């Protein structure tokens, strides 16, 4: 387990070196949320609720789902793996003294830790700047199952 934590830490540090794409992702998510804010503001103008949802409920849902969507990297991972198999560079991972699958899970966990940290800061910034009250369910079972689904989704994605 210690080897996998070192792999994740190394790839997280590699993300810090030069990652303009992370900042572009943050800018695009901010723009996406801003457009959603404008759209929902127009739709909710003069109305308290639409289909049983209030404005802050809809914006909370959109910001949180945007943050979770930003963590979804399965297309990127599959393109990377396909490229390594085609180029013949995948064989270098066969001689590493760890399981290949564990190595790639640790590698993506390290990359994801950095990008999700930046995305989390952008999400918190949105909630603070626009004074959006976070709306969530009070049913702890639904919250627990939601967290379990996110963790399982990230694991299966890796």
């Amino acid at each position: 387990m210690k080897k996998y934590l070192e792999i994740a830490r190394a790839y997280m540090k590699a993300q810090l070196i030069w990652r303009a794409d992370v900042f572009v992702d943050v800018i695009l998510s901010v723009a996406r949320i801003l457009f959603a804010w404008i759209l929902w503001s127009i739709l909710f103008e003069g109305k308290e609720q639409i289909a049983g949802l209030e404005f802050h409920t809809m914006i909370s849902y959109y910001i949180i789902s945007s943050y979770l969507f930003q963590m979804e990297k399965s297309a990127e991972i599959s393109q990377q793996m396909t490229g390594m198999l085609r180029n013949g560079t995948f064989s270098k991972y066969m001689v590493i003294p760890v399981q290949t699958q564990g190595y790639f899970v640790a590698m993506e966990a390290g990359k994801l830790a950095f990008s999700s940290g930046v995305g989390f800061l952008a999400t918190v910034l949105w909630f603070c700047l626009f004074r959006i009250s976070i709306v969530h369910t009070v049913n702890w079972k639904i919250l627990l199952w939601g967290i379990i689904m996110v963790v399982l989704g990230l694991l299966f994605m890796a």
Side-chain angles (χ1 to χ4, degrees), residues 8 11-12 15-16 19 21-23 25-26 29 63-64 66-73 76 107-125 150-151 154 157:
Y11 275 95
M12 190 170 120
Q15 298 294 307
L16 293 170
R19 294 311 295 202
D21 60 335
V22 172
F23 296 110
D25 282 346
V26 169
S29 68
I63 290 174
I64 292 170
S66 175
Y67 169 68
L68 292 174
F69 181 73
Q70 186 177 358
M71 292 193 304
E72 200 275 317
K73 305 282 185 195
E76 179 183 321
M107 178 181 74
E108 290 305 321
K111 290 179 181 180
L112 188 63
F114 177 76
S115 62
S116 65
V118 172
F120 181 75
L121 288 176
T123 301
V124 168
L125 185 66
V150 167
V151 170
L154 291 173
M157 179 183 62

Side-chain angles (χ1 to χ4, degrees), residues 125-138:
L125 185 66
W126 264 103
F127 281 114
C128 292
L129 283 178
F130 290 99
R131 292 182 175 88
I132 300 169
S133 58
I134 300 174
V135 180
H136 59 83
T137 181
V138 292

Side-chain angles (χ1 to χ4, degrees), residues 38-59:
I38 292 168
L39 173 70
W40 288 110
S41 295
I42 292 168
L43 291 173
F44 274 96
E45 192 172 324
K47 298 176 186 169
E48 282 291 316
Q49 291 186 351
I50 295 178
L53 297 173
E54 296 177 356
F55 178 71
H56 284 284
T57 307
M58 184 55 69
I59 294 298

Side-chain angles (χ1 to χ4, degrees), residues 137-154:
T137 181
V138 292
N139 188 341
W140 64 273
K141 289 180 183 177
I142 293 174
L143 286 174
L144 179 66
W145 281 110
I147 291 169
I148 289 171
M149 292 299 291
V150 167
V151 170
L152 287 176
L154 291 173

